[in-house]
Amino acid sequence: MEREVIFCPKWHRAFWFLILMMLCLFQAAKADITCRSCQPGNKWRAQELLLKFDTSESATGLKGEVFGRGDGAGGSGAASAESRRLRCAAGSAECAPDRAEYTEPRRLKRNTDNLHAQGEAGEMKVYNVKMSRLEKISAAAGFTAARKRARRNSDDRIRSAQSQDPGESVSSAAGRRVTRSELRWSGEERRAAGPRQEELKLNSSTFALTGDSSHNQAMVHWSGHNSSVILMLTKLFDFNLNSVTESSLWRSTDYGATYQKLNDKVGAKTILSYLYVSPNNKRKIMLLTDPEVESSLLISSDEGATYQKYRLNFYILSLLFHPEQEDWILAYSHDQKLYSSVEFGRRWQVVHERVAPNRFYWSKMGLDKEPGLIHLETSISEGQALYVTCKLQNCTDANKGKPFPGYIDPNSLVVQDEYVFVQVSAAGRPIYYVSAKRDVFTPMKLPKYTLPKDLHVISTDENRVVAAVQEWNQNETYNLYVSDTSGVFYTLALENVVSSMGPEGNVMVDLYEVAGIKGMFLANKKTDNQVKTHITYNRGRDWRLLQAPSKDLRGNSVHCVLPYCSLHLHLHVSANPYTSGNIASRESAPGIIVASGSIGSELTTSNVSVYIASDAGNTWRQIFDEEYAVLYLDQGGALLAIRHTPLPIRHLWLSFDEGRQWNKYSFTNTPLFVDGVLGEPGEETLIMTIFGHVSHRSEWQLVKIDFRSIFNRRCTEADYQTWHLHNQGEPCLMGVKRIYRKLKPTSRCVMGKTYSVSMTSGPCDCTEADFECDYGYERRTDGKCTPAFWFHPSTMSRSCTTGMTFLNSTGYRKVVSNNCTAGVSVEYTARRQQCPIQAPKGLHLVTSEGTLIATLGANVTFLVFLEEGDGARTSITLDFGDGHALTYSNVSSIEDGIKHIYKAVGIYRVTATGENSLGSETVMLYLHVTCQLEYIHLSAPFVAVRNKEVNLTAVLWPSQVGTVTYIWWIGNNTEQPVITLEGSVAYTFSREGISTVTVQVSAGNTILQDRKTITVHEYFRSHLLAFSSNLDDHNPDVPEWRLDVSRVIRNSLIQATGVREDQLLVTILPGLPTAAEFFLLPDKQLTEGKAEKNSAHLDQLSEVLLSALNQNLVQFTLRPGVQVTVYAAHLSAAPLVDTSENHSGSAMLMLLSVVVVGLAVFVIYKFKRKIPGLNVYAQMQNEKEQEMSPANPTEATPSSQRDLVHSLEILDTEFNSRPIGCMKPHVHVKFSTELPTYIV
């Protein structure tokens, strides 16, 4: 017993120590597993299960997309080719609001980090984030139409990582900020994972897509509209191969409870890449195959039950369905061709070639003349495009329309609602044109000194344009401008609105239009480097900050005093949208806004909570202190929230009282990594499918949830109440008092599909708040609108005709869609006055391209605008400056422009004169008519006499190209060039040796260069050579042949006469008949300093050479059987130049005479040589490649006489083949392509 008593404590201590060690080891292992599952930066989990969403409202529909990565997923951006075809590209006109609004299947990829849901007709609807998708036109100052952040927000669509490539999504998630709440399980999730008490459960069922565990993409379409059919296309996208390698097609006919695999119906080996649905008939389905395997499409007319396959001879990049005709489709191919089909893709025909991507639009009923009309932009050249209209089935040149008279900038056409926009760049600045109701194009008039760097059209609804403009002094912000109904005159609505760059380079402006409340917007404005959220109820006429909640989620008081502290909301979508940035509103639930944000002096990305407003933004309540996705159920009668977390979940939250109380429900027994949520189409949304997986290797798990079981009755009239819309107590908004019928927060019932928003309104008297400043006016601090310093109020418009009336502005104009009456309306409304007779004023003359240069022989279109004056009674005379002029009776007759063709190169003064009975006004421009400079030739002597002036001439081809600048580097003066407007300069070489002359010719955008070397001596002699006629039969007239033959002739002369090598130069001249010339240089070592002796020595050598030539002593064998004899020509282009100072004047006179008769010499010998002082206009091309950029004139400077090999001029054109202007020479004239060569 004693032993037991003694050893028992030791045994217990050992036992408890062992137990403690085991617990520690167990807990350590458990912690490691938990971390491995939850860390978003974990390569094994987070990158593979990353979510990517694309809900751009595209021409091909609205789509959500979840991108994930399976084993062996590739790097960033690997799916770009797939994305290009399957998405509405960021910044594309395909996202414009007038595109066919049809539901497109959702695209899912696995993710443990983010969450999605869909709304109408299969649209993801967890988040109602409405971002401005601003379509970019040009890198410099582009402009396009773009989606406003909320297109009246009538639907629930995610605008998250729009169009982001899968690889980009992986990168952004891996490096994003992770809150502490994301790295731990919440208390409720811990309880959910272990033994738990009885909890609220939803009616749900789970279906696994067996066999698709490796598939990392999915596209989902719910037919909707009382249909129980759901189609789901799952794919394995190989990021290394950048293509789809496997696919499966699933179909459910019971709202997603069960699915049937349809691979055998489409072909077991068929690989599908995309799924389209007709926006006008949801029963019509189109599937595209992967073009890497086969290019075909499958068509179904019974909601995907059966399919017919049709082969294609082109690769479809995007589709555009007609907004009304269910079988009419436009298809854009990989080779920039636009195809059309009127049989839902069964047959196709080419509409047009060289069409700009995403710049094609269907006609709009009531505006366009024909329902089958197509608006498109076609590429002409790298910097030019045309806006044309085409008939669907007959797009011929005869049937094409050109609504805009001139060229436009590439990727600038936008057709949106009743407006058409184009851009034309002139003098480095963009000019934006607009056409309203398909009328003539007019330049958009922004305030004079706006000077936009970038412009995007955000909205065109309610008969006005909202544009975001980045002005010359802005870099990260944009100013919002609103137009009148014509879309021409713009006034400032809000300054310095925050912008961000979308995943694909598209500009996104923080502007959100609240659904269900006309005229209500939210915007994030940057003031003193702080971003603050502002709200307006009258379309931007007045803005104010948001009042923060008075209490937080726990009931504690919040001390936040305006304007130093306020509520700020995230209105933009970040690269990883689930860290912050969600906002939602609904047409069927007016006044209810859910958004994430923060409280303080500015918007932050830390301490983000979720807030809700039930009274259209007047008061706000905090509903979550972490980020949640909030969906609208039963037309807004209930709210559903799902937590943003990288962990698997099995619970969601429901509220039936506008977010005041939340109940937790379980939707599955096993925690699920949620990839997306698909809601039943329509406003009711009582059936949803949650897509997810239990592990990264598991099949897709589809959980169908039926929320109808949690409601026990349908709503009656007693369940509704009235709600008065107001702005801090002011009931008159947009000129009316609006009263809505809303569900009582205490009522828990189903509103159903028959429910519709009921609103009654009553008119209000007009006040100053119902009017905004008119164009040219600015609002002062006292609220009054006064003319800007640059604006001179016009007494009338140019369209005002004598006897008619016009509206004379008071400086104010009523806010568009404002319905106020009476009050101060008479005082602020423009007054109608009689059109007085007025002299023309503000006459403008421009070319349609906006440039001051034109090409010879091409059509030039002149546009004439008149700002003031009686346009109908003002005649316009246009003098083209070339002896031609036209007169038109009024301005309206030349709205399409005046075309003219110039037939000669030159600078023309074009004058436009407007004249009526009261006066006239004249405006002019100077137009440069040019043609392309093709090449140049520097004409210079081979050998020059020291201290004697020589002429250097740059010969151009064509000879007349317009305004030309010549830049010369001569001799050792390589740092300070001589710039001239003439093609010829005189120069005196003061040193003997070899000098280099370089000339560059600048004509328009072209710069060409030529270089020559000149040997400078005190004395030299030269003489022309001729050959026996058999040499011409073997002369291919190529530089290599002339080089070799020159070497042979030189050696033959040396052998026959004994002349030293360093004293003899020989060159073969280009062209036929074959001719050559030799030069004798003085021997300085023998006769240095003795001019008379040197001259006599050269004469002796010349006599020796001529004697040998005259005696036929100089011969060479060209090839076996071909013996060529070299003769001295009877006349010389530079006959034995006598350079001694002691020669008589008669000798100098003889030299001048020889120069005068030089033309006869050329005709006789059928070649040309540039004699100093004589300009020869002929095609002359340097043998070496023409250099397009300025070269270093110091390069390749010869150091010896042997470097003269490439220094001779081209002399091979017939004298009478002189080209005129840009005309090509006659075809029978042969031109050399290189310089004559020099043998020393």
Side-chain angles (χ1 to χ4, degrees), residues 127 129 177 179 181 533 546 548-549 551-554 558 566-571 577-584 593-600 602-613 620-630 641-644 662:
Y127 307 104
V129 179
R177 173 184 57 81
T179 61
S181 61
T533 302
L546 298 179
K551 295 182 180 298
D552 63 12
L553 188 60
R554 296 167 182 79
V558 176
S566 59
L567 174 64
H568 311 286
L569 305 178
H570 287 282
L571 306 178
Y578 304 100
T579 56
S580 62
N582 300 317
I583 185 168
I593 310 170
V594 182
S596 62
S598 59
I599 298 175
E602 63 177 328
L603 180 66
T604 63
T605 56
S606 59
N607 300 321
V608 176
S609 300
V610 182
Y611 300 88
I612 190 171
W620 295 82
R621 290 175 281 110
Q622 184 182 10
I623 55 176
F624 296 107
D625 57 4
E626 296 177 318
E627 293 184 67
Y628 277 73
V630 179
I642 303 179
R643 182 172 172 234
H644 285 165
W662 294 86

Side-chain angles (χ1 to χ4, degrees), residues 680-852:
E680 179 186 10
E683 296 287 337
E684 186 178 11
T685 314
L686 289 174
I687 299 177
M688 288 186 175
T689 298
I690 294 181
F691 300 84
H693 54 285
V694 295
S695 72
H696 76 289
R697 293 183 180 275
S698 69
E699 293 88 0
W700 292 89
Q701 304 291 319
L702 311 183
V703 182
K704 172 193 172 185
I705 305 175
D706 192 340
F707 293 98
R708 292 176 293 186
S709 60
I710 64 177
F711 298 96
N712 52 21
R713 64 183 180 87
R714 286 208 170 260
C715 298
T716 64
E717 193 62 34
D719 293 309
Y720 295 95
Q721 65 180 3
T722 58
W723 171 65
H724 296 258
L725 175 65
H726 65 94
N727 175 15
Q728 295 182 326
E730 172 56 54
C732 286
L733 300 177
M734 296 296 290
V736 295
K737 297 178 181 179
R738 282 173 277 182
I739 303 174
Y740 293 86
R741 186 182 71 152
K742 294 178 61 175
L743 189 67
K744 293 179 180 178
T746 56
S747 297
R748 183 170 176 176
C749 57
V750 175
M751 291 189 289
K753 298 180 179 179
T754 59
Y755 168 79
S756 61
V757 177
S758 177
M759 189 267 290
T760 59
S761 61
C764 295
D765 289 340
C766 291
T767 65
E768 189 268 344
D770 296 310
F771 293 84
E772 61 190 4
C773 292
D774 203 351
Y775 172 77
Y777 291 81
E778 297 174 340
R779 190 175 301 279
R780 300 185 308 192
T781 55
D782 61 358
K784 300 297 183 181
C785 294
T786 58
F789 74 93
W790 50 266
F791 182 68
H792 302 284
S794 176
T795 58
M796 60 181 294
S797 70
R798 68 176 181 87
S799 60
C800 196
T801 304
T802 304
M804 298 177 62
T805 60
F806 76 103
L807 292 175
N808 191 14
S809 176
T810 61
Y812 298 84
R813 68 186 185 195
K814 185 184 288 188
V815 175
V816 175
S817 301
N818 189 294
N819 296 316
C820 70
T821 58
V824 299
S825 179
V826 175
E827 178 183 350
Y828 286 89
T829 303
R831 300 176 179 87
R832 186 163 294 280
Q833 298 179 2
Q834 288 290 325
C835 293
I837 301 177
Q838 182 179 351
K841 184 179 180 181
L843 191 65
H844 298 275
L845 172 63
V846 296
T847 61
S848 59
E849 290 81 11
T851 63
L852 296 177

Side-chain angles (χ1 to χ4, degrees), residues 400-412:
K400 287 181 185 177
K402 294 183 180 179
F404 190 78
Y407 294 119
I408 65 174
D409 290 352
N411 297 313
S412 68

Side-chain angles (χ1 to χ4, degrees), residues 848-1003:
S848 59
E849 290 81 11
T851 63
L852 296 177
I853 189 170
T855 302
L856 183 68
N859 254 322
V860 184
T861 301
F862 295 96
L863 303 177
V864 181
F865 302 101
L866 181 63
E867 290 185 357
E868 302 175 19
D870 189 346
R873 297 174 183 268
T874 300
S875 64
I876 300 295
T877 299
L878 188 62
D879 187 339
F880 300 105
D882 61 349
H884 296 83
L886 294 173
T887 300
Y888 296 85
S889 60
N890 54 60
V891 176
S892 60
S893 61
I894 57 173
E895 288 178 340
D896 292 335
I898 305 171
K899 292 181 172 58
H900 185 67
I901 297 177
Y902 287 91
K903 298 182 178 180
V905 170
I907 303 176
Y908 296 89
R909 183 177 66 181
V910 185
T911 305
T913 302
E915 185 176 9
N916 60 23
S917 59
L918 291 182
S920 63
E921 185 173 62
T922 300
V923 64
M924 67 182 64
L925 64 81
Y926 291 92
L927 184 69
H928 292 244
V929 178
T930 65
C931 62
Q932 179 69 33
L933 175 63
E934 298 191 15
Y935 33 81
I936 68 171
H937 166 71
L938 175 58
S939 178
F942 307 137
V943 183
V945 179
R946 184 174 68 89
N947 293 328
K948 294 291 185 180
E949 189 178 82
V950 296
N951 191 45
L952 308 173
T953 302
V955 181
L956 313 183
W957 195 90
S959 59
Q960 299 295 324
V961 295
T963 304
V964 178
T965 302
Y966 301 84
I967 308 171
W968 304 84
W969 288 269
I970 303 175
N972 297 324
N973 186 16
T974 58
E975 294 183 359
Q976 297 295 331
V978 177
I979 301 176
T980 67
L981 296 178
E982 296 293 335
S984 181
V985 295
Y987 189 80
T988 301
F989 294 94
S990 59
R991 295 183 180 180
E992 291 190 68
I994 297 177
S995 296
T996 300
V997 178
T998 302
V999 62
Q1000 289 183 353
V1001 180
S1002 175

Side-chain angles (χ1 to χ4, degrees), residues 164 298 323 369 404 446 508 684 690 909 985 1109 1159 1194 1219:
Q164 185 177 353
L298 294 93
K369 298 178 181 179
F404 190 78
L446 295 162
M508 307 176 76
E684 186 178 11
I690 294 181
R909 183 177 66 181
V985 295
L1109 291 169
L1159 293 178
T1194 62

Side-chain angles (χ1 to χ4, degrees), residues 176-194:
R176 73 180 181 90
R177 173 184 57 81
V178 181
T179 61
R180 294 186 60 186
S181 61
E182 290 178 317
L183 299 179
R184 66 174 186 272
W185 287 44
S186 64
E188 56 98 0
E189 294 296 347
R190 289 179 182 273
R191 290 191 297 273

